[in-house]
Amino acid sequence: MGADTKKGAVHIIDIEGRSAAEIADSLRTLIERGALRPGDALPPVRTLAEHLGVNRNTAVSAYRQLMNAGVVITLGRGGTRVAGGAAVAQEGFAADTALRDIGTGNPDPARIPDPSHALASIARRPVLYGEPVIDPDLARWAQDWMSADLPPEIPMHLTVTSGAGDAVERLLAQALTRDDAVALEDPCFLTSIHTVRVAGYRPVPVPIDDEGMTVEGLRAALDHGVRAVICTPRAQNPTGASLTERRAAELRAVLRDHPYVLVIEDDHYSLLSQLPYHSLIGPEHRRWALVRSVSKFLGPDMCLAVTASDPETADRLAMRLTPGTTWVSHLLQRLVRALATDPEITAGIRAAGQHYAARNTAFAELLTTEGIPTSAGDGLNVWVPLGAPARAVSEQLMRRGWLARPGDEFALGGGEASDHLRLTVHDLDDDDLQKLAADLGASVRAVRR
């Protein structure tokens, strides 16, 4: 007898399995084959457990795996249903809106260096099949850039990929298989959520506080059996938190007993950051990667990231980056190196970082005056604690002409993210900053009433 595929009906006949992983895989197969469609209801946990003759906790675990992977959603009394196809929000400008978009996460285009002068100097001889994947000049610059922040006793190999998202996807793919658990910061960068869910890994949330990833959260994730940890050492997106020296040392101590867990540090803000770099990667750790993209300071269209990693991880990445198929254009590599070594441009990058910090601090002070105590943190955005539901506040802001990004889009485990907004305000002038702060204060008060 087949599964009943009537919209909203409970499906149970074709579900199989004795373990949580087997049940989750059975449900995923039904969804992929179209027997279960977006919006269809899944059986209640008790009903499913009785049908399969398993413990109720086994059925709960199976549903949790699917929920963490973005395959199903839980609606409280509305039960568990198959998720739609666009469960994860994306960064960037919102389409088709007349509102002032303050949720983009973009750098200021006026602060992105003009590449036109450098372009004229990079078109030297062509690159042919079989040549080194990394341009020699870029490799020399990247070696200095990465090694300056890593313990000198750690062997380091370089890889170049098409951006940080590409690097993280390849790093996870060479180390993990479907359903493996990955520790992610909570709240989390949207691209990381999307990468993990699309690949079928199981995200394990690790809470974030003002000093970065929490020690107890990381310890719990390791006890849960994660095979990889993705951490943002500076300017965590969306919160703006950065690892302190003390917290980094505490996290390294926790990881000392797990040297083969892959640790990926996404230092996306790098040259723009106003804070020092503190790392989870200790000299004894065996599987690690430090990823630095150029997109925040040279522009999102510069799809290039440098990864420093242990030799084994680098060798596995090389298997996935073979000349003639997926190498990164040497023209782009030469352009990045030309821009990143130009004294005038590097001075402009430092000034841009100072500008972002100053504008975000000014906005945080305005919000505090409005009765919304806020700290600017580091990075392109401001993480605003509302003390009220963010969705309701964002609706109030829309009536005042602003399009904001609610914090629950970044959440893995709920928590306080649903009471936050992530705002990109560094390109607003003083008058607009003051207007936005006043409108946000009025919106919060309206919701609280």
Side-chain angles (χ1 to χ4, degrees):
M1 183 175 178
D4 176 9
T5 57
K6 182 180 177 181
K7 189 74 170 179
V10 173
H11 303 75
I12 192 167
I13 301 301
D14 289 344
I15 303 173
E16 301 175 343
R18 299 291 298 170
S19 69
E22 290 171 350
I23 297 168
D25 190 62
S26 174
L27 283 163
R28 194 192 295 265
T29 299
L30 291 172
I31 293 168
E32 290 173 346
R33 292 177 178 176
L36 289 170
R37 298 167 296 185
D40 282 348
L42 300 187
V45 166
R46 186 182 302 276
T47 303
L48 179 61
E50 291 176 353
H51 170 71
L52 296 175
V54 300
N55 187 282
R56 180 180 180 276
N57 289 338
T58 301
V60 169
S61 179
Y63 280 6
R64 184 178 295 117
Q65 289 181 26
L66 294 171
M67 184 176 66
N68 287 341
V71 176
V72 304
I73 56 175
T74 298
L75 303 173
R77 293 182 179 180
T80 301
R81 295 180 178 272
V82 179
V88 179
Q90 300 295 312
E91 291 282 9
F93 290 105
D96 302 323
T97 179
L99 302 175
R100 183 72 180 268
D101 193 346
I102 50 173
T104 71
N106 271 312
D108 186 343
R111 303 279 166 175
I112 294 174
D114 181 357
S116 56
H117 177 73
L119 281 169
S121 67
I122 65 170
R124 301 191 294 272
R125 67 170 185 82
V127 175
L128 303 177
Y129 299 121
E131 297 196 32
V133 171
I134 305 180
D135 184 81
D137 289 339
L138 179 75
R140 283 188 286 271
W141 171 77
Q143 181 77 24
D144 292 340
W145 186 30
M146 308 298 270
S147 63
D149 289 314
L150 291 170
E153 62 270 32
I154 295 183
M156 182 189 79
H157 289 206
L158 295 177
T159 308
V160 174
T161 60
S162 298
D166 182 46
V168 171
E169 186 277 330
R170 293 176 188 275
L171 285 162
L172 294 176
Q174 57 83 34
L176 277 61
T177 59
R178 185 167 170 164
D179 291 325
D180 279 346
V182 180
L184 294 179
E185 298 159 327
D186 187 24
C188 188
F189 180 41
L190 295 175
T191 300
S192 295
I193 298 174
H194 185 71
T195 297
V196 167
R197 287 184 175 171
V198 165
Y201 309 130
R202 290 184 288 114
V204 177
V206 178
I208 292 288
D209 64 18
D210 290 343
E211 295 185 69
M213 185 176 276
T214 64
V215 175
E216 289 306 314
L218 178 60
R219 184 177 289 117
L222 292 167
D223 290 343
H224 190 82
V226 299
R227 294 182 178 273
V229 176
I230 302 177
C231 174
T232 313
R234 294 186 283 192
Q236 197 269 345
N237 190 346
T239 68
S242 297
L243 286 176
T244 62
E245 184 175 8
R246 181 191 68 173
R247 178 62 57 80
E250 293 171 341
L251 295 172
R252 288 195 300 271
V254 172
L255 286 165
R256 197 170 293 131
D257 293 331
H258 304 271
Y260 289 97
V261 170
L262 175 62
V263 174
I264 302 173
E265 290 193 334
D266 182 4
D267 191 26
H268 70 106
Y269 206 53
S270 61
L271 297 183
L272 291 168
S273 181
Q274 303 301 292
L275 297 172
Y277 170 81
H278 299 298
S279 178
L280 274 67
I281 303 165
E284 69 285 344
H285 206 81
R286 302 298 294 272
R287 301 296 310 280
W288 61 272
L290 167 60
V291 181
R292 283 176 171 163
S293 166
V294 304
S295 62
K296 297 299 186 295
F297 55 88
L298 294 184
D301 198 39
M302 289 284 191
C303 295
L304 184 144
V306 177
T307 298
S309 65
D310 65 272
E312 181 180 352
T313 297
D315 287 344
R316 291 186 178 187
L317 279 177
M319 298 283 290
R320 299 176 60 82
L321 284 164
T322 54
T325 55
T326 54
W327 70 23
V328 176
S329 165
H330 280 244
L331 290 174
L332 179 59
Q333 292 187 52
R334 292 170 184 170
L335 179 59
V336 167
R337 187 262 177 188
L339 294 172
T341 57
D342 184 311
E344 183 177 346
I345 288 176
T346 54
I349 292 171
R350 288 193 296 272
Q354 294 165 1
H355 168 79
Y356 296 139
R359 299 308 291 167
N360 289 346
T361 297
F363 183 60
E365 291 172 351
L366 289 171
L367 288 182
T368 301
T369 302
E370 285 287 335
I372 309 172
T374 304
S375 299
D378 195 19
L380 294 177
N381 309 292
V382 181
W383 186 240
V384 181
L386 303 171
R391 290 281 175 182
V393 172
S394 64
E395 290 173 3
Q396 290 286 332
L397 279 175
M398 290 175 68
R399 299 172 186 175
R400 293 168 170 83
W402 305 98
L403 183 63
R405 191 176 289 272
D408 55 9
E409 293 185 355
F410 305 88
L412 291 172
E416 299 179 355
S418 61
D419 289 347
H420 285 68
L421 293 176
R422 195 206 70 178
L423 304 180
T424 309
V425 300
H426 54 71
D427 56 346
L428 301 181
D429 61 26
D430 289 343
D431 290 342
D432 283 340
L433 274 187
Q434 291 177 1
K435 183 179 187 306
L436 174 57
D439 286 345
L440 183 52
S443 298
V444 169
R445 289 189 291 274
V447 170
R448 288 175 178 172
R449 287 197 297 268

